[in-house]
Amino acid sequence: MPRDQSGTIGFNEFGGLWRYVEDWKRCFGAFDQDGSGSIDRKEMGNALRAFGYNLSDGFINLLINKFDKYGKWSQGKGDVTFDNFVQACVTVKTLTDSFRQFDTDSDGWIRINYESFLDLVVRQRS
């Protein structure tokens, strides 16, 4: 999205977007250890741990199943392509950032009411 809300991007904005995509491609390539062109469960776990997220195998499975391009849940291949890898990583980061706003003592636990929960999730959808 253009920063000036004009509906178009200029050369400098395009250059910034290009660098952003290239950075993600390098990141993806570093974690696609088998060179398959997709990220499997093990590679996703390695990537998330490298980013500082200590997540369970169950959650990594959920993430893979959610972002598997080839199918939902058990019908999929169990891996994610580049674009879905980026989307999954950005989703984890933005939700984590939102969670941390409520986790004021940084203990990994929050207590929020229903409307606050909805607010946390809906803000991530925009």
Side-chain angles (χ1 to χ4, degrees):
M1 176 70 71
R3 291 190 178 152
D4 63 4
Q5 304 299 314
S6 68
T8 62
I9 61 173
F11 182 76
N12 289 338
E13 289 172 318
F14 179 78
L17 177 61
W18 187 264
R19 283 187 299 279
Y20 179 77
V21 171
E22 287 298 313
D23 287 347
W24 272 110
K25 284 176 70 177
R26 280 191 293 280
C27 176
F28 179 84
F31 292 109
D32 180 18
Q33 296 169 335
D34 61 4
S36 65
S38 60
I39 298 290
D40 63 23
R41 285 170 172 77
K42 180 180 177 192
E43 292 165 335
M44 179 66 84
N46 291 340
L48 292 171
R49 279 187 290 284
F51 299 154
Y53 300 106
N54 185 21
L55 301 168
S56 70
D57 289 341
F59 181 79
I60 292 168
N61 286 336
L62 172 68
L63 199 61
I64 289 286
N65 289 333
K66 173 72 176 168
F67 290 96
D68 183 350
K69 176 181 177 178
Y70 299 105
K72 296 291 184 196
W73 305 101
S74 62
Q75 295 90 13
K77 289 175 51 180
D79 55 17
V80 293
T81 56
F82 168 72
D83 54 334
N84 290 329
F85 172 74
V86 173
Q87 187 177 4
C89 292
V90 169
T91 297
V92 169
K93 183 192 182 325
T94 56
L95 288 172
T96 299
D97 290 347
S98 293
F99 181 90
R100 287 181 177 154
Q101 291 176 1
F102 290 95
D103 187 15
T104 55
D105 60 358
S106 299
D107 69 351
W109 290 88
I110 62 172
R111 183 178 173 115
I112 59 175
N113 65 28
Y114 179 61
E115 191 167 327
S116 294
F117 169 76
L118 291 176
D119 183 68
L120 183 149
V121 174
V122 169
R123 286 181 190 272
Q124 301 314 308
R125 301 269 178 189
S126 32

